[in-house]
Amino acid sequence: MMRNQLLLASAAALCLAVPGFATADTSDKQIALSNNYAGNSWRQAMLTSWEKVTGAAVEEGVVAAADAFTTAENQVTEQAAQIQNLILQGYDAIVLNAASPTGLNGAVKEACDAGIIVVSFDGVVTEPCAWRIAVDFQEMGRSQIEYLAGRLPDGGNLLEIRGLAGVFVDDEISAGIHAGVEEYPQFEIVGSVHGDWASDVAQRAVAGILPSLPDVQGVVTQGGDGYGAAQAFAATDREMPIIVMGNRHDELTWWKEQKDANGYETMSVSIAPGVSTLAFWVAQQVLDGVEVPKDLTVPFLRIDQDNLEENLETTQEGGVANVEYTLEDAQAVIAAASE
Amino acid sequence: MSLRIPVDTIRLAVPVLALSALLIAVFWLQPRAMSYLGLNLLFNLAVPIALATVAQMFILAVNDLDLSMGAFVSFAACVTATFLHSSPLLGALILAAAVAVYAAMGAIIHLRNLPSIVVTLGMSFVWTGIAVLLLPAPGGAAPAWVRSLMTAKPPLVPMAIVASVVIALVTHLILMRTSLGVLIRAVGGNQQSVARAGWSPLLAKAAAYALAGTFAVLAGIALVGLTTSADANIALRYTLLSIAGVILGGGEFVGGRVSPVGAVIGALTLALAGSFLSFLRISPDWQIGAQGAILVIVLALRLFLNKLERQERGG
């Protein structure tokens, strides 16, 4: 009896003595990341961010574990089996980047029925019991026109570089761009090419269409294609238009060079791979008992003239600008969705 | 050696041992799996794989190989998630027609003496093409009866185990206990002697392909019952998994030597191997390699036993 009290007292003293001792209710909870693909730089950065942020969270005792699992073949059946294994392994929450929006619903339902929190992000799932952190691609397109309207109040001719034909993301961003042009009718899209989100493809496509175009004041893009477009314009005697960038290292580097040489101004927008860490914090908040709406929206990572240098510095060569989210960021996103 | 164990029993012993060893290892790594819910989670995705594996087994029984299995199961899944859901009669008709195409494929392969690998590889693009037309984007919905069948909770033994036992029993009866089954295996063994004995190898091959088509359709339906929706590429892994499952279960590529019970066990072993590696926390980069290693170990064991078998016969 006496000994127990002593133990308790010393434990309490220890808690007080260690500064920053986390007292979250989730300290015994385990979170798993189920990821369907790791074969490009965006996904690699996503996994690195996950490791960095969750590693620190585990060390601080916010959660007990946060392990990442990636399937080898990017197949629905394989990831469904993986989720079922994670259920068996006793995780309290599964953070999910899904291979299919609907194909995993059966496995996700199994997880929910077992009392597990499922938070999907980037590749979200439609199963109603899961949380979704989705990207508002339309807004990403629309915000480009809004920016250009601020820079060019009189409007002008725009060249649109699209992504990979037939892919959902390409349709969404383009729909947003066209909605933006309707909102700001002083702009006109005079040409449209597919750049496949790749610099070399975009350069060829833009070089091919340029001779048939009138003067172009702005280029709206989808990311990964801005550097190629700039190269295509540089090869002609046209004036360099405002090319919206997509946070890639080559795009930011070129922008920085131009900025230093002639004060070139533009902006850059894309989704940070660190969104996986946002999903982690959302899962932690749900485990903590916070009331979280099922549908959340990923904030964009926007780079402007004044924060170009710091973002370029932290971006790896060949990679994409990244940001790791904090608990406070997640709380802000939740609060925005709760309104 | 005085102790005489039937050859077929030895052939079945390896897959049974492999499955038991893996199961014990999984239980040891993850005691939670040793429960009704746990066994169901471990094995429910193995049910469509087992169905695809026995489908592949019927093809292997007549010395052929079906490289369109994954594409065909995906196609069947797409039909299940679209037509079978919205207009069941039309859906059933389409699936029946697909089985008829399989039978015709078997007949043509026999009549024109074509290599099955080439024909089925060609057909795989046809199936994928139709599947993409049906479901250009992932979607569709599982018919309610399929969903409730696949998520049923029978007393004592989980659905996945019940289904596996039923599949093994039914295919065993068809292939081992009916005259048609004997005929199919005989075509794999020696086609000429079947023809000389007055039987029709054409009929046997068409029947084998029709049976394969039927079980592949069932695989597609079962898969949709688990995933609740389909896409055109949902079962692409099944081509290799089904072949590996048959071989792992004691089947041979030639000679009509296949084992239905072994094939189901082989499919379960493959599914379990994935969970085992996941519980071991092996990095995903190594998982495919490790899965291959498990296959190699089992096959090496098989070769060793085959050698024993031959020695026994020789001596």
Side-chain angles (χ1 to χ4, degrees):
Chain A
M1 190 70 179
M2 190 64 198
R3 182 175 290 176
N4 272 348
Q5 276 174 350
L6 260 177
L7 264 177
L8 270 177
S10 50
L14 197 69
C15 288
L16 289 173
V18 181
F21 192 87
T23 51
D25 299 326
T26 55
S27 54
D28 59 337
K29 303 287 189 193
Q30 297 183 310
I31 299 179
L33 169 67
S34 166
N35 175 39
N36 67 314
Y37 182 64
N40 60 32
S41 59
W42 198 93
R43 288 294 178 108
Q44 286 296 336
M46 181 193 100
L47 289 171
T48 312
S49 292
W50 172 272
E51 227 166 83
K52 202 165 127 195
V53 169
T54 64
V58 169
E59 222 155 81
E60 286 166 22
V62 179
V63 291
D67 307 308
F69 298 86
T70 301
T71 56
E73 290 176 80
N74 190 17
Q75 288 278 314
V76 170
T77 47
E78 196 189 9
Q79 196 172 18
Q82 183 193 55
I83 292 172
Q84 298 196 356
N85 287 333
L86 294 175
I87 301 171
L88 278 177
Q89 280 166 275
Y91 285 98
D92 301 286
I94 297 172
V95 174
L96 174 67
N97 196 343
S100 152
T102 54
L104 294 169
N105 283 355
V108 170
K109 188 80 184 37
E110 298 264 10
C112 293
D113 289 347
I116 295 168
I117 308 294
V118 179
V119 178
S120 63
F121 71 99
D122 189 32
V124 294
V125 293
T126 57
E127 170 58 48
C129 75
W131 276 261
R132 275 162 293 281
I133 306 181
V135 179
D136 189 352
F137 287 111
Q138 290 218 10
E139 177 58 24
M140 195 167 139
R142 204 197 62 80
S143 70
Q144 298 186 27
I145 306 288
E146 196 175 52
Y147 167 79
L148 288 176
R151 290 284 311 281
L152 307 163
D154 298 334
N157 293 331
L158 301 182
L159 169 64
E160 181 191 7
I161 305 182
R162 300 190 55 164
L164 206 54
V167 178
F168 160 80
V169 174
D170 169 54
D171 291 336
E172 286 290 297
I173 297 180
S174 181
I177 287 172
H178 284 263
V181 171
E182 252 167 53
E183 195 179 328
Y184 299 97
Q186 65 267 41
F187 288 105
E188 190 192 352
I189 295 178
V190 293
S192 171
V193 291
H194 280 278
D196 297 359
W197 302 310
S199 181
D200 53 333
V201 181
Q203 183 175 353
R204 274 199 306 275
V206 173
I209 196 176
L210 268 187
S212 67
L213 294 182
D215 273 347
V216 172
Q217 278 80 36
V219 179
V220 282
T221 62
Q222 299 199 353
D225 40 17
Y227 178 71
Q231 293 302 308
F233 272 96
T236 66
D237 50 7
R238 285 168 181 260
E239 201 175 318
M240 189 60 73
I242 301 173
I243 303 174
V244 179
M245 296 297 177
N247 291 5
R248 270 39 165 215
H249 184 264
D250 58 354
E251 296 175 335
L252 299 181
T253 310
W254 178 85
W255 176 11
K256 170 83 177 113
E257 282 166 15
Q258 296 298 308
K259 182 184 173 185
D260 291 348
N262 53 35
Y264 184 78
E265 254 185 73
T266 184
M267 70 97 150
S268 178
V269 64
S270 189
I271 303 298
V275 61
S276 60
T277 61
L278 181 68
F280 167 78
W281 288 115
V282 168
Q284 190 267 342
Q285 286 293 290
V286 176
L287 284 175
D288 207 6
V290 176
E291 191 78 24
V292 178
K294 292 270 162 146
D295 286 286
L296 304 169
T297 307
V298 179
F300 303 117
L301 174 56
R302 179 170 161 166
I303 300 172
D304 283 294
Q305 203 70 3
D306 45 349
N307 60 3
L308 168 62
E309 281 79 10
E310 52 179 300
N311 274 296
L312 181 57
E313 216 164 273
T314 55
T315 305
Q316 277 182 335
E317 200 158 322
V320 51
N322 196 4
V323 59
E324 270 117 23
Y325 294 93
T326 61
L327 177 58
E328 289 71 35
D329 294 329
Q331 282 164 339
V333 168
I334 293 168
S338 306
E339 274 166 16
Chain B
M1 262 202 237
S2 57
L3 192 66
R4 286 249 158 197
I5 307 169
V7 171
D8 284 345
T9 313
I10 298 182
R11 292 183 78 80
L12 201 54
V14 178
V16 169
L17 280 178
L19 181 64
S20 317
L22 266 177
L23 204 55
I24 291 168
V26 164
F27 284 162
W28 179 67
L29 281 172
Q30 195 50 258
R32 264 195 208 86
M34 222 183 326
S35 64
Y36 184 94
L37 179 76
L39 280 173
N40 202 38
L41 285 175
L42 275 183
F43 286 119
N44 67 2
L45 282 163
V47 173
I49 300 178
L51 284 163
T53 305
V54 296
Q56 185 72 258
M57 181 198 67
F58 282 112
I59 307 275
L60 277 168
V62 293
N63 289 358
D64 283 348
L65 204 57
D66 186 356
L67 292 187
S68 65
M69 188 56 69
F72 183 72
V73 174
S74 304
F75 160 76
C78 287
V79 173
T80 307
T82 53
F83 286 109
L84 203 59
H85 173 69
S86 53
S87 45
L89 194 67
L90 185 60
L93 270 176
I94 294 173
L95 292 176
V99 172
V101 170
Y102 247 77
M105 205 162 76
I108 290 170
I109 285 172
H110 176 75
L111 285 175
R112 308 303 305 165
N113 207 10
L114 298 168
S116 62
I117 293 182
V118 177
V119 176
T120 53
L121 188 62
M123 284 306 286
S124 74
F125 297 107
V126 175
W127 299 127
T128 306
I130 304 176
V132 170
L133 285 179
L134 282 177
L135 274 179
W145 60 273
V146 177
R147 182 78 184 134
S148 53
L149 180 71
M150 291 309 291
T151 52
K153 299 226 179 325
L156 296 175
V157 187
M159 185 62 191
I161 308 292
V162 175
S164 304
V165 171
V166 170
I167 296 164
L169 273 181
V170 169
T171 47
H172 182 81
L173 285 179
I174 293 174
L175 202 60
M176 297 303 184
R177 295 274 182 259
T178 65
S179 48
L180 178 66
V182 174
L183 190 59
I184 289 174
R185 284 184 293 136
V187 167
N190 189 333
Q191 198 169 305
Q192 261 89 30
S193 47
V194 172
R196 294 254 169 81
W199 295 94
S200 161
L202 172 68
L203 184 81
K205 268 210 165 168
Y209 273 80
L211 280 168
T214 308
F215 278 96
V217 162
L218 292 178
I221 295 176
L223 184 56
V224 172
L226 289 171
T227 59
T228 73
S229 80
D231 69 68
N233 299 319
I234 194 164
L236 284 192
R237 299 173 79 223
Y238 282 19
T239 304
L240 286 180
L241 280 179
S242 65
I243 297 172
V246 177
I247 304 303
L248 204 57
E252 299 274 353
F253 280 112
V254 288
R257 298 188 68 171
V258 290
S259 156
V261 179
V264 172
I265 293 178
L268 297 184
T269 309
L270 281 175
L272 201 57
S275 300
F276 171 68
L277 295 172
S278 164
F279 292 157
L280 270 185
R281 301 270 171 94
I282 289 185
S283 125
D285 303 332
W286 291 94
Q287 276 199 14
I288 290 189
Q291 225 154 2
I294 292 181
L295 262 177
V296 169
I297 291 171
V298 174
L299 289 184
L301 212 61
R302 258 269 297 292
L303 280 178
F304 176 69
L305 282 179
N306 281 358
K307 208 171 144 197
L308 278 186
E309 202 181 297
R310 265 200 302 278
Q311 274 173 356
E312 204 176 307
R313 275 193 192 150

